[in-house]
Amino acid sequence: MIRQLLLSFLLIQTTLVAARGKGHHRHNVPPPPKKWLTLYGGEPVVVARGGFSGIAPESSSPAYTLAQQTSLASTILLCDIQFTKDSQAFCQYNLNLQNATDIPSAFQDLKPKTYNINGKNVEGWYGVDFMADDLFKNVFLMQSIYTRSPSLDGALNLLSPYDIVGLQGSPRLWINVEYPSFYDGLKISPSSYILDTMRDFNPAYISSPEVGFLKGLAGKVNPTKLILRISDINEVEPTTKTQYVKLLSDMNMIKTFASGVILPKDSIWPISSGRLLLPATSFVSDFHKAGLEVFASGFANDNFLSYNYSYDPTKEYLQFIDNSQFSVDGVITDFPPTASEAIACLAQNINASRLVKTLIISHDGASGDYPGSTDLAYQKAIDDGADIIDCSVQLSKDGVAFCLPSADLTGTTTAASAFLDRSTKIPEIQDKDGIFSFDLTWNEIQSLKPQLVSVFDGPLVRNPANKNVGKFVTLPEFLDLAKQRAVSGVLVNIENAAYLASNKGLDIVDVVTTALSNATLDKQSTQKVLIQSDDSSVLLKFQDIKTYQRVLTIEKDISGTTEQTVQEVKIYADAVKVFRNSIVLDYPNPVFMSLNFSNVVEVMHAANISVYVGVLRNEFQNFLFDYYADPYVELATLTQKGVDGITTDYPATANAYMRSPCSNPNANLPYTILPINPGDMFNNLAAAKPPEAAPPLPLLQTADIVDPPLPPVTKTAESMPESSSGSGSNTPPAPAPKHSTSTKVASNTGLIITAMFGVLSILSRNFKSFF
């Protein structure tokens, strides 16, 4: 049965590749050549560690096939060789097979064994204890990093190097032999195996961490290049008993048996304990001067990147291949398509013109890097290429309008430590207790500090160094900044208008209207003005100002809409903002894969209503597996679906994509960033079982759109000047009207956070030493 499923996967995989991979690297006209700072001036190579091991189990057929079809044509497939008792080779990085295969359950009558590996006794399950036939027939691969999809676990056999070179397209092969001394001690000779099979494999590279092994092959495997592999420069090399860091100082000695070295990426660009980049070492430049190539290892989209990269994995690659000092000669990665993007699409592209016209709308400024809605967040959003900067307007008790993501100050400021006694529960706004802006004066709010919000728990936090930086921005200051920096437009988001009017005596609509008028933004058409609200009655207040675009927020997950409902939307709004998973529908959790497109874009566009989608974020935990933990694939999917704007915490990433030549699916280029086909990932993981039936997301309904008229502003004791606060009036405030059924609910991303928190904790402690 498992073999039938595997056969089905491989057959359907061809269809997936044809549909999604078409156009990746099969064009005839090359782009203009780039100049690189590699040793020989050529393009850095992508080396796929065990294939596309970020998606399929390492060294499996789907992993290698996907790596070929989704990456640059020059991509090299890396096979880490291990051996069986009868000296047959198979591809797997870890000598101990316990985590990467189901071997403990395959041989339940046997017990694990202990071997001394480079001076350490390690208990586990080893290939050398089994004959090749037993391993290849009975042992199946598992995804050994637990935040990756387990859908193919237990369905894929081990592969030999012959299986890889037999793949369609005659792939280039890199063979790594990690433990030659260990095998020599068991009378299994990796050197003999390599020499006996050289003509069959014709590898481009052979690497090993052991100097003695490489010296034994020197001069015998030409033109294959020999590479010294170093996983940790502070470890001791097994044959010379010398620390690698000392060996690296003797480049002339290395040159006698090797053409280059593999270095862990952190030894090239060190990272501080606070996960910030330190100055680069001189390793690459020094080795290039000595005539030796340098390959960097350890790249993975779902690793905990330096905060300097804003969780954009392409930025890490660019740091190594597109800086003014050097370029490594290749990168070894679990996600070869992302490395391909960096090399073919983003490197040397800083001054490129904008190709994709989809609006980039900030979400509380560049809130992935700085506390949301602060001066620093807005300045970075503008510098990073946002077309529209946004302000969610909040009011203080004394009526000062300022920008902040939420009226509840507990998450976005330090209010919890300063004003805990002001905490209260307001069901009309949220289910939990909060400390609300309209219960504090502006002076009290200014005594607080902004706070950077980390959307994901565990180690996937945003830069702690920026946790409380920046200052609060009033609405007039925000509008002045937009005019001074000449951004394309502003988005002003209005929430809680009915509650503020009836319970706090505050007219937020009037405050916003006056501020926009004072900034003369109602009397011009140079800069766009977007008025956004989840309350249709708020939007009606702006219907007479034709230069404003009214945006209705749909704050619930929907599976689509109807023409009738859209005509209702059109009464109140010129555009809608929807969640990401209202455009790309997904399977019920915990599958974390796409299902289909909704009809929202098409039906809204037919009524001349624009569609904005958000919030987009770079953190790998934010993505369905279809997106390869790659924000550029999601951007390609949404923009090519036709959305009119994307709201993002990281405008720089959106801007980089929209300036990339690879964003054009019709361009004749060696590589293209292609969108997903919803459903393909799940349909092609044939070992996956369909999830249990779940109620479909609802269609957008009129009740989600139409709200009661705004109540009159009721003067309360709090809102009156002090001289009149004791007037003796006993008139209670008018109750806030019932809002439409468009309630604030968490998107599926929130469910992903909950489901994966546990595995992230495991990952932070036990992230494997593949890298």
Side-chain angles (χ1 to χ4, degrees), residues 279-438:
T281 65
S282 63
F283 280 136
V284 177
S285 299
D286 292 344
F287 272 89
H288 280 179
K289 288 177 184 177
L292 292 165
E293 293 180 281
V294 179
F295 299 87
S297 66
F299 292 91
N301 294 8
D302 52 2
N303 202 346
F304 302 113
L305 306 179
S306 165
Y307 296 120
N308 297 79
Y309 303 133
S310 300
Y311 285 107
D312 182 341
T314 65
K315 286 187 177 181
E316 183 176 39
Y317 293 109
L318 294 174
Q319 189 78 16
F320 286 80
I321 64 171
D322 191 21
N323 64 74
S324 60
Q325 302 173 54
F326 61 81
S327 169
V328 296
D329 300 281
V331 292
I332 300 174
T333 175
D334 289 11
F335 291 82
T338 305
S340 298
E341 290 170 5
I343 293 168
C345 306
L346 302 173
Q348 305 175 35
N349 202 53
I350 293 176
N351 298 318
S353 300
R354 178 87 165 261
L355 298 176
V356 180
K357 302 308 180 184
T358 307
L359 288 177
I360 302 172
I361 305 170
S362 74
H363 180 239
D364 306 315
S367 55
D369 295 296
Y370 291 105
S373 302
T374 59
D375 58 334
L376 296 178
Y378 287 129
Q379 290 166 13
K380 190 169 196 312
I382 296 169
D383 292 340
D384 287 348
D387 300 304
I388 308 290
I389 57 172
D390 69 305
C391 171
S392 287
V393 180
Q394 312 301 336
L395 293 181
S396 67
K397 184 177 181 178
D398 45 350
V400 175
F402 65 104
C403 304
L404 205 66
S406 170
D408 181 4
L409 306 177
T410 52
T412 55
T413 75
T414 55
S417 59
F419 295 105
L420 186 60
D421 59 326
R422 308 284 187 91
S423 179
T424 186
K425 187 172 184 177
I426 304 177
E428 297 94 327
I429 295 179
Q430 63 187 33
D431 293 334
K432 62 181 181 179
D433 290 353
I435 301 170
F436 295 94
S437 65
F438 43 74

Side-chain angles (χ1 to χ4, degrees), residues 38-73:
T38 55
L39 178 61
Y40 298 113
E43 182 178 271
V45 297
V46 177
V47 183
R49 188 193 70 84
F52 197 163
S53 51
I55 294 297
E58 178 231 322
S59 300
S60 65
S61 291
Y64 285 120
T65 301
L66 274 173
Q68 284 182 283
Q69 299 294 345
T70 62
S71 311
L72 281 166

Side-chain angles (χ1 to χ4, degrees), residues 394-402 404 407 409 413 415 418-419 421-422 435-449 472 474 504 506 717-720 722:
Q394 312 301 336
L395 293 181
S396 67
K397 184 177 181 178
D398 45 350
V400 175
F402 65 104
L404 205 66
L409 306 177
T413 75
F419 295 105
D421 59 326
R422 308 284 187 91
I435 301 170
F436 295 94
S437 65
F438 43 74
D439 290 331
L440 274 66
T441 66
W442 178 235
N443 283 338
E444 289 175 324
I445 291 170
Q446 287 184 299
S447 72
L448 304 173
K449 292 181 180 180
F472 300 115
T474 66
K504 297 297 177 179
L506 296 171
E718 288 183 350
S719 65
M720 292 180 182
E722 287 188 12

Side-chain angles (χ1 to χ4, degrees), residues 358-361 611-614 642-647:
T358 307
L359 288 177
I360 302 172
I361 305 170
V611 178
Y612 304 138
V613 62
V643 302
D644 301 281
I646 57 98
T647 301

Side-chain angles (χ1 to χ4, degrees), residues 583-658:
I583 302 295
V584 180
L585 308 177
D586 55 7
Y587 278 97
N589 293 314
V591 175
F592 308 128
M593 296 183 195
S594 69
L595 172 62
N596 207 343
F597 281 125
S598 75
N599 69 346
V600 169
V601 173
E602 291 81 1
V603 179
M604 292 290 179
H605 281 179
N608 199 29
I609 296 174
S610 299
V611 178
Y612 304 138
V613 62
V615 175
L616 274 62
R617 299 182 171 101
N618 287 352
E619 287 91 340
F620 69 82
Q621 197 176 348
N622 191 51
F623 298 106
L624 300 173
F625 288 126
D626 310 55
Y627 291 124
Y628 301 162
D630 185 335
Y632 292 83
V633 178
E634 183 179 44
L635 284 163
T637 302
L638 293 172
T639 57
Q640 292 181 41
K641 181 60 179 172
V643 302
D644 301 281
I646 57 98
T647 301
T648 175
D649 288 359
Y650 297 96
T653 297
N655 188 36
Y657 168 75
M658 295 181 189

